[in-house]
Amino acid sequence: MALHRLDSITVGVPDVAATTVFYEDFGLNPSSDGWFSTTEGGNQLRLVTSASRRLVEACFAADDLDDIGRMRARLAERGFAAAIDGADLVTADPGTHTPIRIAARPRLQQQPYSAPAVNGPGRVDRVNARAAGILVESPVRPRRLGHFVLGTTDFDQSRQFFVDGLGLKVSDIVKDVGVFLRCSTDHHNVLVQRSPVPFLHHSSWQVDDVDAIGRGAMAVLERHPERHMWGLGRHYAGSNFFWYFRDPAGNYAEYHSDMDSIPEDAIWAPEVLEGALGLYRWGPPPPPSFINPEDLADLMIHGHSA
Ligand SMILES: [Fe+2]
């Protein structure tokens, strides 16, 4: 496969300073020039100034310059414009006009997660000891970026670009809503969904487990309960636990853990999900503003511009 992971996203926001505080509380580490790093994925979020919030660019990783050359030819064959920018290839999703960068990056080797001992009915793996999840003191730091969700006014064009153009695989379909796509073993790296305006719905960040999601949520919400969006819950598509928060610009940020992994394309059978399963398996009812963020009307007027 030409692409092997989602490398980074660049997000435009009106107030970079306020939004920086949010992502610091979320556990990302500010580095330089507006970049934030994860513990294993390096620089994966960049904040830049923009009149209204928007996804300025998404970057996917290819193995090497040969792969980038092959991607350039592939896009040209399929009628998608792409240009060389230094060592990278830059193209755009024609459905949203979002620039998409392809860069040569090493594959990510993650430090293996060691699952703590868990007790259950008829099975006691932890005796005479408190659970690891209540003893850990260190702040939660996302290990890496997992996916982003892009609302598009031209769903067919966007799907065609990501699937036929970039070669992402379909993992699941939400009937009349969108399509979960992957370029790595993650169940999804991109969700493209129908929307009245092109916009970034959320970015999602991998943490160790459900305890890390809960502890991270505490840190995000401690002085800002208004940041809570939706959680704790578990999705059907991807199986992951989730908790969503709202950044000061209106973008949502998700912690996820225990997501489905699909190393062998032939073995996974995509499903067409309908109704609530497209959203979640369990959790509190999703707030209406999760599905239709309150600023969508504003974004339609002031739009998808710098
Ligand atoms: Fe998500």
Side-chain angles (χ1 to χ4, degrees):
M1 189 186 292
L3 302 178
H4 58 82
R5 63 182 164 96
L6 171 63
D7 182 61
S8 67
I9 52 172
T10 297
V11 180
V13 298
D15 186 341
V16 169
T19 312
T20 292
V21 171
F22 172 90
Y23 285 101
E24 284 178 331
D25 291 348
F26 188 76
L28 301 185
N29 188 32
S31 49
S32 60
D33 301 330
W35 282 101
F36 296 77
S37 64
T38 55
T39 57
E40 295 187 301
N43 285 341
Q44 297 205 283
L45 170 69
R46 181 171 46 149
L47 296 179
V48 298
T49 305
S50 173
S52 53
R53 70 183 182 97
R54 67 193 185 103
L55 180 61
V56 171
E57 184 179 278
C59 179
F60 292 86
D63 278 322
D64 50 36
L65 296 179
D66 287 346
D67 269 351
I68 288 179
R70 277 190 284 273
M71 180 60 78
R72 186 185 188 189
R74 178 191 166 99
L75 289 167
E77 262 171 39
R78 289 160 173 76
F80 296 107
I84 295 292
D85 178 21
D88 304 344
L89 183 68
V90 177
T91 176
D93 160 30
T96 60
H97 305 292
T98 303
I100 302 292
R101 180 175 296 271
I102 314 292
R105 299 273 191 271
R107 291 188 179 233
L108 210 55
Q109 297 293 335
Q110 293 198 266
Q111 288 297 317
Y113 161 72
S114 56
V118 170
N119 290 343
R123 174 170 179 165
V124 177
D125 288 342
R126 189 187 71 251
V127 291
N128 302 323
R130 300 183 201 275
I134 66 166
L135 294 176
V136 62
E137 297 278 2
S138 54
V140 172
R141 303 284 182 214
R143 287 196 180 219
R144 62 170 171 82
L145 173 64
H147 60 267
F148 66 88
V149 175
L150 186 61
T152 175
T153 51
D154 194 331
F155 177 76
D156 291 337
Q157 265 205 315
S158 292
R159 181 189 52 193
Q160 203 175 12
F161 170 74
F162 283 103
V163 175
D164 302 335
L166 295 183
L168 272 61
K169 304 285 196 302
V170 174
S171 293
D172 280 313
I173 294 159
V174 186
K175 194 176 178 215
D176 300 327
V177 174
V179 61
F180 287 94
L181 304 171
R182 67 181 185 279
C183 64
S184 72
T185 55
D186 281 358
H187 174 276
H188 52 283
N189 302 109
V190 182
L191 165 59
V192 177
Q193 63 179 24
R194 296 171 201 273
S195 162
V197 61
F199 80 107
L200 174 66
H201 182 276
H202 71 264
S203 60
S204 185
W205 303 83
Q206 183 195 56
V207 296
D208 279 0
D209 52 23
V210 71
D211 277 305
I213 293 180
R215 293 193 308 109
M218 269 189 84
V220 171
L221 301 176
E222 193 177 7
R223 289 181 308 277
H224 294 277
E226 77 283 358
R227 290 171 172 170
H228 170 73
M229 170 44 57
W230 184 34
L232 171 75
R234 190 157 197 170
H235 286 305
Y236 183 89
S239 301
N240 58 289
F241 294 103
F242 65 81
W243 199 322
Y244 293 87
F245 312 92
R246 187 198 290 105
D247 80 16
N251 307 294
Y252 302 154
E254 174 190 17
Y255 289 130
H256 76 259
S257 72
D258 196 18
M259 178 168 281
D260 294 336
S261 179
I262 308 173
E264 291 178 76
D265 295 333
I267 294 173
W268 182 262
E271 289 182 46
V272 178
L273 309 175
E274 293 187 56
L277 275 193
L279 270 170
Y280 70 144
R281 181 63 185 84
W282 61 254
S289 57
F290 179 80
I291 297 152
N292 288 304
E294 283 157 13
D295 63 352
L296 279 196
D298 270 0
L299 292 176
M300 287 171 78
I301 296 163
H302 301 295
H304 192 66
S305 61

